[in-house]
Amino acid sequence: MQLSTYIRAGFALVLAALALAPAAPAATTLTQSERSLLAAVNGVRANHGLRPLRVDTTLTRAARSHSTTLIRRDVFTHGALGTRLARAGARGPLFGENLAWGTGSRATARAIVSGWLRSPSHRANLLRPGWVRIGIGARTGTFMGHAGASVVTADFAGR
């Protein structure tokens, strides 16, 4: 068999494999606000001897969607967290969620994470050793009568 035949056969195999392989999810680029929140969350975790959380694309899409829904509906609720994350295709086996909203200086990553640390249930989520992944969705809009409000959803996953 000639070398060119091997090359064509190899090329055909590569094309077939690419055509049959499931599409990889597009990488999610965090906004500046989301990056600041991730840094603040991981900084607090490091201060408590916990490993940093890595960004999960599926959780980020779900978190962004939830923050958008909260602004659109002008409500502040977790809703059916497990159902919502399952529909988004998130992998667990366990999930947790922290929500926050604020304007001005209360909308900074530092203020949001400080608020979570002051709340026992949010603090427990933030400092849970079993979490390994996070999705952060920060959206801005008119919320609860405040223009320019930042609404944040942080979805955690792990064991």
Side-chain angles (χ1 to χ4, degrees), residues 49-71:
L50 298 169
R51 67 179 169 220
L53 302 175
R54 71 180 189 278
V55 175
D56 180 295
T57 303
T58 301
L59 290 174
T60 297
R61 280 193 307 265
R64 286 175 174 168
S65 176
H66 191 59
S67 291
T68 299
T69 297
L70 295 177
I71 290 172

Side-chain angles (χ1 to χ4, degrees), residues 8-147:
R8 279 186 287 211
F11 186 68
L13 283 173
V14 169
L15 286 177
L18 289 173
L20 296 175
T28 299
T29 302
L30 297 181
T31 66
Q32 177 59 46
S33 175
E34 292 164 345
R35 284 192 307 274
S36 295
L37 283 158
L38 177 64
V41 165
N42 281 335
V44 166
R45 288 179 62 84
N47 290 341
H48 287 84
L50 298 169
R51 67 179 169 220
L53 302 175
R54 71 180 189 278
V55 175
D56 180 295
T57 303
T58 301
L59 290 174
T60 297
R61 280 193 307 265
R64 286 175 174 168
S65 176
H66 191 59
S67 291
T68 299
T69 297
L70 295 177
I71 290 172
R72 190 179 73 246
R73 293 184 181 166
D74 206 25
V75 297
F76 195 66
T77 181
H78 293 283
L81 173 64
T83 301
R84 181 167 32 89
L85 293 180
R87 284 184 183 151
R91 299 175 295 110
L94 298 177
F95 299 110
E97 183 172 78
N98 284 356
L99 300 177
W101 78 274
T103 59
S105 64
R106 294 182 183 196
T108 65
R110 184 177 183 166
I112 288 168
V113 173
S114 292
W116 286 340
L117 287 169
R118 288 190 302 272
S119 162
S121 60
H122 293 93
R123 180 184 184 90
N125 257 347
L126 190 62
L127 299 177
R128 184 182 178 108
W131 295 146
V132 293
R133 292 172 284 119
I134 189 171
I136 300 174
R139 293 294 184 244
T140 303
T142 299
F143 188 70
M144 301 289 171
H146 299 273

